[in-house]
Amino acid sequence: MPHSIVIFGASGDLTSRKLIPALYLLHRKRRLPEETVVVGVSRSDYGHEQWRSMLAETTARFVGEEFNPQTWTEFAQSVYYVPGDVNQVDDVRRLATVLPDLEPGQPCARLYYLSMAPSLYETAILHLGAAGLAEESPGERRIVIEKPFGVNRETARRLNEVVHRAFHERQVYRIDHYLGKETVQNILVLRFANSIFEPIWNRNYVDHVQITVAEEVAVGKRGDYYDQSGVLRDMFQNHLLQLMMITAMEAPVRFEADLVRDEKVKVLRAVRTMRGADFARDTIRGQYLGYRNEKGVPADSQTATFAALKLAIDNWRWQGVPFYLRSGKAMSCRTTQIVIQFREPPHMLFSGPKRTRFDANRLVIQVQPAEGLQLHFQTKVPDAGMQLRLTDLDFRFQEKFAGALPDAYQRLLLDALTGDASLFARSDEVELAWGVIDPILAAWQSPAAPPLEHYEIGQWGPESSTGWMRDQGREWFDVCPVLKSQSL
Ligand code: BG6
């Protein structure tokens, strides 16, 4: 069956930076279903050719060496542009009459992609519904919705309700680009396609789990948006909680969208709700020095650009195993890593002078960059008595597999096109994730808030974060990944 992808917000940054490059690369790899067309819609008054040549320039820039003018020309023949304002129901109705003429045949499976300001989502969805564009005859109709999905549980619930007025849940693909990352999917493979990890993946062997998404970049040009959002909305409600769910979930019976999502949702349901003194004890909020001078940020902003949370998961597997989640802008380096810190051996035979309790085994899942895994374990230093040293087994995707890892959007666009929702968030999942974040956001506005700590650019967040872990007898794994050259 022919396919069409209709991108609303076609003149926006996401379209040129991520969506078109991903679709072009899928075309290059011959992964797109045969007879697929892309239709851009936005208010700008372009023609097909004008949009194509703008995209040729941006795609060449974002794709780099993988850009090939010949395959681009081939791909661009299936790219169209329709001017229209999704705020105007008449424009959407007109689009409904134009689309079949651009599509390669009927029935045609159609994917709508909302790549626009989130404030326009509700109107856009209602107008799609009113224009009959959500109806599934004669072809499948699906819709991809970008983050942020609401700004709290209440708004997420309302948006879900609006979505469900026009679309069935099975037609809806709420995107979290972290789920499209190869290394995040590899966590599922690591856990559920091997037999050696799962038996120790629980409270009997694991002391705690650390999930860090550190960014070296500051807020840049996004001050306006960021100051309204802050790190909890921007990173935790979606990416960090997704990483936590994938790390903590039980094995689904089959790898099917609803079965996978059922297991993820159970993790969120088991997260202990913080109350009273918990917020000051179990959360840290920080702001990098200089943030208040960023464009669009008020001089007295209280917005957190760094947060660390200690979450408890109340179920059989994880009782008593804290999950430490932290993320921040303007940190030491860019690294997304999950550290499974195992317990110390129950009885130590070789306690040398240098040994500390932080030397127990750990598995480091390096999500990005330097994608791979490291297993840390004690080794005897040769010719040095019974002296021990923590060494590691180091697996790098780059060394074992040829070619660069594809950008997350390739996988996600292809899955949405072909109707696999396993790597997309379901309505209950999004609402439950807000349910974890909302009480913290509220507490941070109240006397229960921990102080807003400031940190120098290029640090691992506020200094207190290190002391906080030490006080709990633990230590952050503050190690920047070492990138090895491609030739290795
Ligand atoms: C986005 C956030 O969702 O994720 C950004 O809005 C953040 O603030 C980005 O920089 C990080 O994504 P990645 O893939 O670069 O780790």
Side-chain angles (χ1 to χ4, degrees):
M1 186 190 290
H3 286 72
S4 65
I5 305 160
V6 184
I7 304 176
F8 293 96
S11 54
D13 194 47
L14 181 74
T15 305
S16 54
R17 205 162 36 86
K18 293 287 184 188
L19 305 184
I20 297 293
L23 290 167
Y24 163 66
L25 290 173
L26 286 170
H27 166 83
R28 265 205 80 164
K29 294 189 233 172
R30 306 274 170 237
R31 301 266 172 82
L32 285 179
E34 268 183 43
E35 299 194 297
T36 298
V37 298
V38 179
V39 182
V41 182
S42 76
R43 282 181 305 179
S44 310
D45 198 16
Y46 308 139
H48 302 312
E49 274 312 324
Q50 196 182 355
W51 196 47
R52 286 174 191 160
S53 64
M54 286 162 67
L55 292 179
E57 188 265 316
T58 49
T59 309
R61 183 146 41 92
F62 292 120
V63 162
E65 282 173 6
E66 288 180 272
F67 187 82
N68 170 298
Q70 200 182 326
T71 45
W72 170 263
T73 309
E74 221 174 83
F75 171 72
Q77 280 163 7
S78 316
V79 174
Y80 302 97
Y81 185 84
V82 179
D85 182 356
V86 81
N87 269 317
Q88 308 296 329
V89 73
D90 289 342
D91 283 15
V92 182
R93 289 215 165 93
R94 192 172 55 83
L95 179 70
T97 61
V98 173
L99 280 176
D101 295 338
L102 300 174
E103 286 168 343
Q106 299 298 332
C108 180
R110 201 180 281 159
L111 181 70
Y112 304 112
Y113 201 115
L114 300 190
S115 165
M116 53 179 43
S119 57
L120 298 178
Y121 286 170
E122 290 190 13
T123 318
I125 292 161
L126 290 174
H127 287 174
L128 288 174
L133 285 171
E135 280 159 29
E136 292 212 274
S137 57
E140 288 150 357
R141 300 287 179 260
R142 303 191 180 101
I143 183 165
V144 177
I145 305 176
E146 267 290 336
K147 77 169 259 276
F149 197 90
V151 294
N152 53 33
R153 192 170 187 170
E154 195 41 47
T155 47
R157 199 175 276 158
R158 202 180 60 220
L159 183 52
N160 274 330
E161 199 250 308
V162 168
V163 169
H164 292 150
R165 268 190 245 164
F167 293 89
H168 298 289
E169 179 62 24
R170 66 180 154 71
Q171 297 174 278
V172 185
Y173 291 71
R174 295 172 195 78
I175 214 163
D176 184 315
H177 77 280
Y178 265 60
L179 292 177
K181 292 182 191 279
E182 291 285 335
T183 41
V184 174
Q185 294 157 42
N186 190 53
I187 301 171
L188 294 169
V189 175
L190 178 82
R191 292 192 54 200
F192 304 132
N194 293 293
S195 55
I196 59 170
F197 297 109
E198 208 41 34
I200 56 171
W201 208 265
N202 57 49
R203 64 191 303 274
N204 298 324
Y205 293 90
V206 177
D207 177 77
H208 71 275
V209 176
Q210 299 180 14
I211 301 180
T212 298
V213 182
E215 294 190 276
E216 202 175 349
V217 291
V219 297
K221 292 184 194 154
R222 299 164 76 218
D224 269 335
Y225 150 78
Y226 194 87
D227 201 62
Q228 298 298 313
S229 168
V231 69
L232 287 182
R233 288 193 172 97
D234 188 51
M235 297 297 287
F236 279 72
Q237 185 273 340
N238 34 69
H239 311 323
L240 277 100
L241 287 183
Q242 286 292 347
L243 293 176
M244 186 180 90
M245 286 185 258
I246 300 258
T247 308
M249 68 190 265
E250 299 299 318
V253 179
R254 283 184 302 281
F255 194 63
E256 282 174 15
D258 270 327
L259 298 177
V260 171
R261 298 185 299 180
D262 285 347
E263 295 306 333
K264 285 167 64 193
V265 158
K266 282 186 205 162
V267 175
L268 290 180
R269 286 193 198 285
V271 174
R272 190 181 305 159
T273 307
M274 290 193 199
R275 301 205 159 77
D278 298 347
F279 299 104
R281 194 191 53 227
D282 293 340
T283 73
I284 296 182
R285 57 186 190 124
Q287 188 187 72
Y288 66 83
L289 287 163
Y291 172 71
R292 291 174 182 175
N293 301 327
E294 301 278 13
K295 195 164 168 278
V297 174
D300 58 352
S301 169
Q302 297 293 307
T303 298
T305 61
F306 169 95
L309 310 179
K310 179 185 182 188
L311 297 181
I313 300 180
D314 286 331
N315 63 17
W316 273 65
R317 187 187 283 270
W318 295 118
Q319 191 56 241
V321 180
F323 277 67
Y324 295 98
L325 274 53
R326 73 175 164 164
S327 178
K329 298 268 186 211
M331 289 180 64
S332 314
C333 55
R334 174 172 181 253
T335 179
T336 298
Q337 61 195 21
I338 301 173
V339 177
I340 312 293
Q341 179 68 61
F342 292 97
R343 289 178 189 275
E344 288 177 88
H347 174 59
M348 204 70 75
L349 295 181
F350 313 110
S351 51
K354 283 196 190 144
R355 216 187 130 72
T356 74
R357 60 171 297 183
F358 307 123
D359 290 338
N361 298 119
R362 64 173 91 86
L363 178 70
V364 180
I365 301 172
Q366 190 60 48
V367 173
Q368 63 180 21
E371 293 81 359
L373 297 170
Q374 288 89 41
L375 182 63
H376 295 216
F377 58 96
Q378 292 292 342
T379 318
K380 180 182 175 308
V381 179
D383 201 17
M386 287 313 275
Q387 207 182 312
L388 310 185
R389 187 182 301 159
L390 202 64
T391 46
D392 65 309
L393 284 173
D394 187 358
F395 159 78
R396 307 277 184 130
F397 276 90
Q398 191 197 53
E399 288 168 15
K400 296 285 174 196
F401 297 96
L405 292 179
D407 183 78
Y409 278 89
Q410 291 183 40
R411 170 70 193 254
L412 295 176
L413 277 163
L414 201 56
D415 282 3
L417 260 182
T418 52
D420 181 352
S422 312
L423 300 175
F424 293 82
R426 207 168 54 187
S427 56
D428 52 346
E429 189 177 338
V430 172
E431 289 178 23
L432 282 163
W434 280 118
V436 173
I437 298 303
D438 279 359
I440 305 171
L441 284 169
W444 282 8
Q445 304 275 330
S446 79
L452 180 68
E453 318 253 7
H454 294 277
Y455 60 98
E456 299 273 355
I457 289 180
Q459 304 295 312
W460 289 92
E463 271 175 33
S464 61
S465 162
T466 310
W468 180 70
M469 281 297 254
R470 287 242 165 86
D471 292 346
Q472 301 175 57
R474 300 189 169 109
E475 192 172 40
W476 288 116
F477 185 69
D478 285 346
V479 177
C480 289
V482 180
L483 292 162
K484 297 185 185 171
S485 84
Q486 198 78 41
S487 57
L488 277 175

